[in-house]
Every structure is written in C-alpha cells, then in structure tokens.
Amino acid sequence: MIFDVSPLEAVVLAVVAVFIFGPDKLPKMISQAMGILRKVREFSESAKQDIRKELGPGFEEFDFQDLNPKAVVRKQLAAHSDDYGLNEIQGLRHAVAENSREVTASVQAIHAHAPNSTDDRPTGWP
C-alpha cells in the first residue's frame, strides 16, 4: 500500500478519522487531502521537467531514480555482475549453506544415537 501502511493500519486510521472528523465532515476532508496530494504531484512533475530543461539536451529521458545511491549500485551490479565475480560468490554461498546443512544433520544424528547417561560425557559438559 501507499506509504508502507498495512491494510489493518489503514482500517484503524479510517476508524480514527471517522471519530475525529465525524461522518459528515470526513468526505470533505478526504477530497481536500486528495486535492493537496494532486497539487504536490503536479508541483513535483513540474520541478522535474524544469530541471530536465535546465540540464539541456541529452537529459530529456533523465531518471531521477538514478540519483538514489541504492539504485546506482543495483544498476552497476546488474550490468557488471560477472566482472565482480558475483556468480562465483553466489556459488560459494550455496556451497557453504549446503555444507552447514550436512554438518547440522550429522550432529543431530550423532546426538540422537548418543547414550543418555551423563557419566560418559567429558567434564564440563552439561
């Protein structure tokens, strides 16, 4: 949903809004809020167009998401993943995960077959 609001939170906000503004004023408040959001979006798009125009030719298709550092890193990793050896790293990661599952299964098997008496355990073990 918008602004990372879960459906339950949206319902709670709606109920609170009904209690605060009342059912008769709530539709007017919602339409005013939508009008404000529409104006903010129009202002944002206008500002983006002005910036593109000021940057000059060649920047008509400039995406402002490219200014986000996370987006830049993702694009570079996607474009050059083989150059950085990311496929090899993923393979190693999967191998380590598989080895850890095998070790866990072995330890659980040993633990299942171990005697229950505490006399056979080395000192310091619970």
Side-chain angles (χ1 to χ4, degrees):
M1 281 188 85
I2 299 174
F3 305 116
D4 282 338
V5 177
S6 71
L8 179 62
E9 291 170 336
V11 169
V12 170
L13 287 173
V15 169
V16 169
V18 168
F19 281 122
I20 291 174
F21 300 114
D24 52 333
K25 292 182 183 178
L26 190 59
K28 183 178 179 183
M29 297 295 287
I30 290 173
S31 67
Q32 288 177 346
M34 294 304 291
I36 291 171
L37 282 175
R38 192 175 308 112
K39 286 183 181 182
V40 167
R41 285 185 186 144
E42 290 172 2
F43 174 76
S44 173
E45 286 301 317
S46 173
K48 286 179 182 179
Q49 292 300 325
D50 290 344
I51 290 171
R52 284 186 183 113
K53 190 184 336 175
E54 292 295 324
L55 287 174
F59 289 97
E60 294 86 14
E61 299 298 322
F62 179 71
D63 186 13
F64 285 90
Q65 281 294 329
D66 291 339
L67 297 176
N68 184 348
K70 287 183 181 180
V72 172
V73 170
R74 283 188 190 119
K75 277 187 175 180
Q76 291 299 318
L77 287 176
H80 304 288
S81 63
D82 291 336
D83 296 343
Y84 299 129
L86 294 180
N87 294 334
E88 184 180 346
I89 292 171
Q90 285 292 338
L92 291 172
R93 182 176 157 268
H94 291 299
V96 167
E98 182 61 33
N99 287 341
S100 64
R101 280 192 288 273
E102 290 174 4
V103 168
T104 301
S106 298
V107 169
Q108 288 173 345
I110 291 171
H111 183 66
H113 291 88
N116 290 334
S117 69
T118 57
D119 297 335
D120 296 342
R121 294 182 186 172
T123 57
W125 280 35

